[in-house]
Amino acid sequence: MKFKNILLTRMKYIGDVVLTTPIIRTLREEYPEAHISYLGDAKAVSLLQHNPFLNEIIPFDFSKDSFAYQLKMYALMFSKKFDLAIDLYSNPRSALLTFATRAKMRIGGDSKSRGKFYTHRISDDGSLKSAIDYHYQSLKPIGIQPKYFTTEIFLTEKEKNEARNVLSTIGIDANRKIVALHPGGTWPAKLWQKEKFAELARKLITENVSVILTGGNNDVEAVEYVRSNSNAVSIGNISLRMISAIYSHCNALVSNDCGVVHIAVAVGTPTIGIFGPGQENIWFPYSSPHKAIRENVPCHPCHLNVCNRTGNGFMECMKLITVEEVFTAVRERL
């Protein structure tokens, strides 16, 4: 099948968008002459800038999520005249936007309520698979087999130099080893204790390692705690592109299970992901030098956002992960 104008969409979440980058490369190889567009959350798809396998990025601004804005986006989808649309998210909004393309082939999830918006519905077989393999199922109707599995973020030399200047401004010596710590995250059940992040920072600093802290608007308390209880330096709230560029200068990242794990891996930084409720074999589909750390507990995987256990069992999956275990993993990567 030949397609000239392709839409690929994964509407939400930083890590999930990064995990679709192998699909982008695979599509480009199969359709070298096609115009390939990517639709998604404006913040998340900023990570796809300068991707040589895309022709166009279409940002959806959720801060303008009015009825009028949605109508505008539906009209835009129709005007693009796509002949293939692949929805990797398949929630109500993405299904409607995919339907609005009126592409002759529209691929999405096999949902009773939303499946009618697609011409080809994808049913998951229920077997355990990584997030990348899960997305690859959506290419089956067009006969494309999984080929690439490495995630990618493409940085310009200007961005890398700007990141180097930021590090210099806050007193980070580029000649020393640099380790980034990300002590925050969206969901409480996925957070390793901030006290342990602070202890880890202190131990690394005694090894003559420069430690920087990253975090978003919701991570201010955790970042400030670690900063004030160590000599680590906080980067502050910066754009995702700048975070990516800064990580590219780091020798390792230690992070809770959240989007920045995928950013660091995609720019080639050895990454240690701390896992609790989630399944690392799904959401951390990476091999050495990257490493997922998780302890076996009877309730895993619970997939809860907030731990529902009480007493000594509360947050047991995180309590069992020791500073020494993480510290050893970092040293091995330095």
Side-chain angles (χ1 to χ4, degrees):
M1 290 176 280
K2 298 292 184 181
F3 298 100
K4 295 181 179 179
N5 197 4
I6 300 171
L7 174 69
L8 186 64
T9 175
R10 169 76 207 197
M11 282 297 289
K12 273 195 167 185
Y13 305 120
I14 294 166
D16 296 274
V17 168
V18 175
L19 284 163
T20 67
T21 54
I23 309 295
I24 296 171
R25 181 186 278 264
T26 300
L27 275 174
R28 171 56 67 203
E29 186 167 294
E30 186 72 18
Y31 302 107
E33 303 301 323
H35 187 281
I36 302 179
S37 303
Y38 195 110
L39 167 69
D41 168 54
K43 183 177 180 181
V45 298
S46 69
L47 294 170
L48 302 180
Q49 291 172 13
H50 308 296
N51 187 311
F53 308 117
L54 288 174
N55 298 101
E56 182 181 17
I57 296 171
I58 306 172
F60 189 101
D61 190 346
F62 282 90
S63 68
K64 300 178 181 178
D65 196 14
S66 65
F67 181 67
Y69 179 75
Q70 290 187 54
L71 285 179
K72 176 184 174 182
M73 292 303 294
Y74 294 142
L76 178 64
M77 291 299 99
F78 180 74
S79 70
K80 292 287 184 180
K81 301 187 184 305
F82 295 110
D83 51 12
L84 170 64
I86 304 171
D87 183 0
L88 299 175
Y89 192 36
S90 298
N91 80 334
R93 189 195 311 274
S94 66
L96 284 169
L97 286 164
T98 302
F99 180 71
T101 67
R102 304 306 290 167
K104 63 183 179 182
M105 191 168 191
R106 302 185 301 276
I107 302 171
D110 188 15
S111 165
K112 289 183 179 179
S113 59
R114 300 183 291 278
K116 61 180 176 290
F117 295 118
Y118 308 114
T119 62
H120 293 71
R121 306 177 190 182
I122 303 300
S123 296
D124 182 42
D125 61 13
S127 64
L128 187 66
K129 57 180 69 68
S130 75
I132 295 174
D133 285 318
Y134 182 85
H135 288 321
Y136 263 121
Q137 294 180 116
S138 295
L139 301 190
K140 287 182 179 179
I142 52 177
I144 298 179
Q145 296 299 314
K147 184 171 184 180
Y148 298 107
F149 294 89
T150 301
T151 55
E152 305 170 291
I153 292 174
F154 295 89
L155 298 169
T156 65
E157 287 304 314
K158 180 181 178 181
E159 288 174 319
K160 292 178 183 178
N161 289 334
E162 288 175 351
R164 192 178 292 111
N165 291 336
V166 168
L167 291 171
S168 177
T169 299
I170 61 175
I172 299 299
D173 184 357
N175 294 318
R176 295 170 63 183
K177 300 289 187 182
I178 304 173
V179 174
L181 305 182
H182 190 87
T186 304
W187 306 115
K190 294 183 177 182
L191 302 182
W192 198 41
Q193 289 78 15
K194 60 182 184 292
E195 294 83 3
K196 291 182 177 178
F197 270 107
E199 184 181 346
L200 175 63
R202 293 193 297 269
K203 287 175 72 68
L204 288 168
I205 290 168
T206 62
E207 297 279 316
N208 200 34
V209 174
S210 295
V211 178
I212 61 174
L213 306 173
T214 60
N217 291 329
N218 297 326
D219 306 324
V220 173
E221 181 183 353
V223 169
E224 177 56 25
Y225 179 90
V226 178
R227 188 202 63 78
S228 61
N229 285 277
S230 68
N231 286 323
V233 181
S234 173
I235 294 293
N237 191 9
I238 55 178
S239 72
L240 290 180
R241 296 290 305 180
M242 182 56 69
I243 288 175
S244 305
I246 284 175
Y247 284 164
S248 74
H249 293 294
C250 294
N251 300 95
L253 165 76
V254 179
S255 172
N256 293 312
D257 174 17
C258 62
V260 300
V261 165
H262 306 287
I263 291 176
V265 171
V267 297
T269 303
T271 299
I272 298 164
I274 299 178
F275 280 76
Q279 291 173 273
E280 72 282 2
N281 45 3
I282 295 177
W283 297 109
F284 197 86
Y286 311 119
S287 56
S288 181
H290 314 297
K291 180 181 178 69
I293 294 179
R294 179 181 66 81
E295 298 295 330
N296 290 320
V297 291
C299 52
H300 181 271
C302 70
H303 300 294
L304 294 175
N305 296 331
V306 180
C307 181
N308 64 356
R309 298 179 67 185
T310 58
N312 293 332
F314 180 72
M315 294 288 288
E316 183 184 18
C317 59
M318 289 299 174
K319 290 176 182 176
L320 289 176
I321 297 175
T322 66
V323 173
E324 191 60 37
E325 180 181 10
V326 180
F327 177 67
T328 299
V330 175
R331 288 191 66 183
E332 290 172 351
R333 279 143 189 83
L334 295 182

